[in-house]
Amino acid sequence: MHTAPQKPQRGRPRDNDLDQKILQAAWELLGDMSLSELTIHGIAQHAGTTRPAIYRRWKSVEGIVIDSLLDVVGEKVATPQEGDPPEQLREYIWLLAKFLQSRVGRVVAEILGRGQSDPELMVKFHNVFLLPRRDHGKSIIQIGQERGFFRTD
């Protein structure tokens, strides 16, 4: 079987770790500044890359921040696995509240504020951040209803 020769790729090879470097840089910068102060240029400098490299991946600072937030939330908000549904729900709500008292809460508030004038940002934030958290709590309640811990109404 004869295969066609592969064309050499133009430009520099893509850095597979760069996405993570950019997300980490944005999150680190948000420790010292507000979302309104954060710029693509600042993120690029902190990540050791260029603005075009970032714009190939994201179209806005807010998009980077949402993805960075998801990275942090995914690692830090534990999903209670032990105990009955009322205990799991209490623990989940407590962990989420504690987490929202940190930098995450400030960033969430800033994203929600910006989302008031940017419907596309609000839709993305709603779909990738709010719905999964709501759905997780909802699933704990549904299991509790099935097991008789919570009323079905």
Side-chain angles (χ1 to χ4, degrees):
M1 172 183 261
H2 179 25
T3 59
Q6 289 186 342
K7 292 182 184 178
Q9 290 185 333
R10 294 188 336 197
R12 222 176 340 171
R14 187 169 177 147
D15 180 356
N16 293 329
D17 295 329
L18 188 55
D19 289 7
Q20 194 58 42
K21 288 177 189 173
I22 293 167
L23 295 175
Q24 184 177 351
W27 193 251
E28 288 172 3
L29 289 169
L30 281 170
D32 299 326
M33 63 180 63
S34 70
L35 177 58
S36 63
E37 297 170 309
L38 193 61
T39 65
I40 295 286
H41 178 74
I43 295 169
Q45 281 186 319
H46 198 75
T49 190
T50 63
R51 290 183 314 172
I54 291 178
Y55 279 118
R56 281 192 290 275
R57 292 162 171 82
W58 289 275
K59 64 181 185 176
S60 70
V61 168
E62 293 85 2
I64 297 168
V65 169
I66 289 173
D67 288 347
S68 180
L69 178 65
L70 290 174
D71 250 16
V72 171
V73 170
E75 294 173 3
K76 305 266 176 146
V77 176
T79 302
Q81 300 294 325
E82 296 181 17
D84 57 34
E87 290 172 25
Q88 288 179 349
L89 187 59
R90 262 191 303 277
E91 183 179 351
Y92 180 68
I93 291 170
W94 184 82
L95 289 169
L96 196 56
K98 183 179 176 188
F99 197 61
L100 289 173
Q101 290 174 350
S102 68
R103 181 184 334 167
V104 171
R106 179 179 56 81
V107 172
V108 166
E110 289 183 86
I111 290 171
L112 289 172
R114 284 198 178 196
Q116 300 303 308
S117 60
D118 186 345
E120 188 178 319
L121 173 65
M122 188 57 94
V123 166
K124 179 177 181 178
F125 184 70
H126 186 262
N127 290 337
V128 301
F129 183 81
L130 295 177
L131 284 180
R133 261 120 228 105
R134 183 202 68 186
D135 290 347
H136 180 69
K138 185 178 174 182
S139 71
I140 294 172
I141 292 169
Q142 287 172 335
I143 291 168
Q145 288 172 330
E146 292 167 5
R147 295 183 186 168
F149 287 101
F150 305 125
R151 296 179 2 194
T152 57
D153 63 350

